[in-house]
Amino acid sequence: MAFNILLVDDSLTVRSVIAKALRLAGVDIGQIYEACHGAEALTVLEREWIDLVFADISMPVMDGEEFVDRLAASGAIEHLPVVIVSSAGSGPRIQRLKDKGVRAYVQKPFTPEQIREVVDKVMGVTSHE
Amino acid sequence: MSEDRQQALASTFLHIVEKLTFMFGEPVALDEIELSPEPWVEARMQFQGAVNGSLAVIVPESLQPEIAANILGLEAADLTTPDMLADALREMLNVVCGHVIMTLAGAEADFKLLAPQHQVVPRERLADLLEDADSMGFTLDDEPLLLHLELERG
């Protein structure tokens, strides 16, 4: 099954690196969508079917924590896996985000293998085609 | 900055940069850093929480394409806009900063990183940075690089 994936980060560099890691890791990708911050990501989610979200924490306009709060408030986070990708992943903050429904955390810098592992885990992929 | 802290920060910096950019570096004394005549640029960001302050990575402009190309897995010639180069340097700083704070304050420390800024460093400021006890010198793929950590006392 091909996944539609939304990448939420204010850095084009990070969005490019995650997209490349997903491809290198052999993740079955349908479409990749991009957003520069949480508010833009919410607009994409209203418009498109998304299977999986990778989001940063520190972003302008709406940061990752507020984005997760919005998804939790609407109940969307229960059926939309959100993975936080950040270098600002202090233990207490990651726990707060997981308590709100975030499925996994990837600390930068990461490898394609780590991205693959987290996709398999949160999407319930059990075998590689 | 104490010698122990400098060694810990240098080790963290080099480890993270190597993982992120596949570029290799080593510490060098500040008085061995040669200020090439080209413009130097810095990415600087503030952090708040368990520790408060700012961290900057300062490099000669010509090193930016190599850093960006290595992070993105592209050829330097494919990086056509200054924005791409600045964004990559900001991202390198962003990743380094998170790990530096955890080195300083521990993995359980709660902190927030503010948006990194990118700018050209005035020549006189550059000379001051080489005299600053909060600066550390490195080479990255044989090119000079400065790391500048300012911590709020308290």
Side-chain angles (χ1 to χ4, degrees), chain B residues 106-118:
Chain B
E108 295 304 307
D110 207 0
F111 61 90
K112 181 177 181 179
L113 301 179
L114 305 187
Q117 307 296 319
H118 181 276

PDB file of all heavy atoms in Angstrom, chain B residues 106-118:
ATOM      1  N   GLY B 106      21.801  17.647  30.025  1.00  0.00           N
ATOM      2  CA  GLY B 106      21.283  16.296  30.171  1.00  0.00           C
ATOM      3  C   GLY B 106      20.105  16.031  29.246  1.00  0.00           C
ATOM      4  O   GLY B 106      19.403  16.949  28.820  1.00  0.00           O
ATOM      5  N   ALA B 107      19.875  14.742  28.980  1.00  0.00           N
ATOM      6  CA  ALA B 107      18.841  14.350  28.014  1.00  0.00           C
ATOM      7  C   ALA B 107      17.433  14.661  28.500  1.00  0.00           C
ATOM      8  O   ALA B 107      16.502  14.738  27.709  1.00  0.00           O
ATOM      9  CB  ALA B 107      18.972  12.866  27.702  1.00  0.00           C
ATOM     10  N   GLU B 108      17.274  14.808  29.815  1.00  0.00           N
ATOM     11  CA  GLU B 108      15.938  15.074  30.362  1.00  0.00           C
ATOM     12  C   GLU B 108      15.653  16.570  30.477  1.00  0.00           C
ATOM     13  O   GLU B 108      14.572  16.959  30.919  1.00  0.00           O
ATOM     14  CB  GLU B 108      15.790  14.411  31.733  1.00  0.00           C
ATOM     15  CG  GLU B 108      15.843  12.889  31.681  1.00  0.00           C
ATOM     16  CD  GLU B 108      14.791  12.320  30.734  1.00  0.00           C
ATOM     17  OE1 GLU B 108      13.606  12.662  30.885  1.00  0.00           O
ATOM     18  OE2 GLU B 108      15.163  11.549  29.829  1.00  0.00           O
ATOM     19  N   ALA B 109      16.613  17.392  30.094  1.00  0.00           N
ATOM     20  CA  ALA B 109      16.420  18.842  30.210  1.00  0.00           C
ATOM     21  C   ALA B 109      15.322  19.313  29.255  1.00  0.00           C
ATOM     22  O   ALA B 109      15.259  18.881  28.107  1.00  0.00           O
ATOM     23  CB  ALA B 109      17.728  19.561  29.883  1.00  0.00           C
ATOM     24  N   ASP B 110      14.453  20.180  29.759  1.00  0.00           N
ATOM     25  CA  ASP B 110      13.383  20.731  28.922  1.00  0.00           C
ATOM     26  C   ASP B 110      13.872  22.063  28.351  1.00  0.00           C
ATOM     27  O   ASP B 110      14.350  22.923  29.097  1.00  0.00           O
ATOM     28  CB  ASP B 110      12.118  20.943  29.758  1.00  0.00           C
ATOM     29  CG  ASP B 110      10.868  20.860  28.904  1.00  0.00           C
ATOM     30  OD1 ASP B 110      10.991  20.649  27.679  1.00  0.00           O
ATOM     31  OD2 ASP B 110       9.763  21.019  29.456  1.00  0.00           O
ATOM     32  N   PHE B 111      13.792  22.225  27.046  1.00  0.00           N
ATOM     33  CA  PHE B 111      14.276  23.458  26.435  1.00  0.00           C
ATOM     34  C   PHE B 111      13.544  23.708  25.125  1.00  0.00           C
ATOM     35  O   PHE B 111      12.892  22.830  24.576  1.00  0.00           O
ATOM     36  CB  PHE B 111      15.787  23.385  26.181  1.00  0.00           C
ATOM     37  CG  PHE B 111      16.203  22.282  25.238  1.00  0.00           C
ATOM     38  CD1 PHE B 111      16.272  22.509  23.867  1.00  0.00           C
ATOM     39  CD2 PHE B 111      16.522  21.020  25.722  1.00  0.00           C
ATOM     40  CE1 PHE B 111      16.642  21.487  23.001  1.00  0.00           C
ATOM     41  CE2 PHE B 111      16.890  19.995  24.850  1.00  0.00           C
ATOM     42  CZ  PHE B 111      16.951  20.234  23.490  1.00  0.00           C
ATOM     43  N   LYS B 112      13.664  24.938  24.673  1.00  0.00           N
ATOM     44  CA  LYS B 112      13.018  25.347  23.430  1.00  0.00           C
ATOM     45  C   LYS B 112      14.059  26.032  22.549  1.00  0.00           C
ATOM     46  O   LYS B 112      14.837  26.861  23.039  1.00  0.00           O
ATOM     47  CB  LYS B 112      11.888  26.330  23.761  1.00  0.00           C
ATOM     48  CG  LYS B 112      11.119  26.832  22.588  1.00  0.00           C
ATOM     49  CD  LYS B 112       9.986  27.738  23.060  1.00  0.00           C
ATOM     50  CE  LYS B 112       9.172  28.229  21.879  1.00  0.00           C
ATOM     51  NZ  LYS B 112       8.062  29.095  22.309  1.00  0.00           N
ATOM     52  N   LEU B 113      14.075  25.659  21.278  1.00  0.00           N
ATOM     53  CA  LEU B 113      14.988  26.303  20.322  1.00  0.00           C
ATOM     54  C   LEU B 113      14.206  27.356  19.545  1.00  0.00           C
ATOM     55  O   LEU B 113      13.130  27.070  19.031  1.00  0.00           O
ATOM     56  CB  LEU B 113      15.549  25.269  19.339  1.00  0.00           C
ATOM     57  CG  LEU B 113      16.327  24.088  19.926  1.00  0.00           C
ATOM     58  CD1 LEU B 113      16.774  23.153  18.809  1.00  0.00           C
ATOM     59  CD2 LEU B 113      17.529  24.575  20.712  1.00  0.00           C
ATOM     60  N   LEU B 114      14.751  28.552  19.462  1.00  0.00           N
ATOM     61  CA  LEU B 114      14.111  29.599  18.663  1.00  0.00           C
ATOM     62  C   LEU B 114      14.646  29.548  17.223  1.00  0.00           C
ATOM     63  O   LEU B 114      15.661  28.905  16.955  1.00  0.00           O
ATOM     64  CB  LEU B 114      14.355  30.972  19.289  1.00  0.00           C
ATOM     65  CG  LEU B 114      13.913  31.095  20.757  1.00  0.00           C
ATOM     66  CD1 LEU B 114      14.043  32.534  21.234  1.00  0.00           C
ATOM     67  CD2 LEU B 114      12.471  30.603  20.962  1.00  0.00           C
ATOM     68  N   ALA B 115      13.957  30.222  16.340  1.00  0.00           N
ATOM     69  CA  ALA B 115      14.305  30.125  14.910  1.00  0.00           C
ATOM     70  C   ALA B 115      15.721  30.635  14.651  1.00  0.00           C
ATOM     71  O   ALA B 115      16.074  31.735  15.088  1.00  0.00           O
ATOM     72  CB  ALA B 115      13.315  30.935  14.091  1.00  0.00           C
ATOM     73  N   PRO B 116      16.549  29.859  13.962  1.00  0.00           N
ATOM     74  CA  PRO B 116      17.916  30.315  13.655  1.00  0.00           C
ATOM     75  C   PRO B 116      17.915  31.451  12.635  1.00  0.00           C
ATOM     76  O   PRO B 116      17.063  31.499  11.748  1.00  0.00           O
ATOM     77  CB  PRO B 116      18.596  29.072  13.084  1.00  0.00           C
ATOM     78  CG  PRO B 116      17.530  28.116  12.738  1.00  0.00           C
ATOM     79  CD  PRO B 116      16.292  28.494  13.468  1.00  0.00           C
ATOM     80  N   GLN B 117      18.878  32.343  12.792  1.00  0.00           N
ATOM     81  CA  GLN B 117      19.044  33.471  11.870  1.00  0.00           C
ATOM     82  C   GLN B 117      20.357  33.303  11.118  1.00  0.00           C
ATOM     83  O   GLN B 117      21.320  32.767  11.658  1.00  0.00           O
ATOM     84  CB  GLN B 117      19.079  34.803  12.646  1.00  0.00           C
ATOM     85  CG  GLN B 117      17.912  35.011  13.588  1.00  0.00           C
ATOM     86  CD  GLN B 117      16.581  35.109  12.864  1.00  0.00           C
ATOM     87  OE1 GLN B 117      16.488  35.743  11.821  1.00  0.00           O
ATOM     88  NE2 GLN B 117      15.556  34.461  13.396  1.00  0.00           N
ATOM     89  N   HIS B 118      20.378  33.788   9.886  1.00  0.00           N
ATOM     90  CA  HIS B 118      21.575  33.674   9.047  1.00  0.00           C
ATOM     91  C   HIS B 118      21.992  35.067   8.603  1.00  0.00           C
ATOM     92  O   HIS B 118      21.150  35.853   8.153  1.00  0.00           O
ATOM     93  CB  HIS B 118      21.252  32.811   7.821  1.00  0.00           C
ATOM     94  CG  HIS B 118      22.405  32.599   6.888  1.00  0.00           C
ATOM     95  ND1 HIS B 118      22.741  33.503   5.915  1.00  0.00           N
ATOM     96  CD2 HIS B 118      23.298  31.584   6.800  1.00  0.00           C
ATOM     97  CE1 HIS B 118      23.790  33.041   5.250  1.00  0.00           C
ATOM     98  NE2 HIS B 118      24.150  31.877   5.758  1.00  0.00           N
TER      99      HIS B 118
END
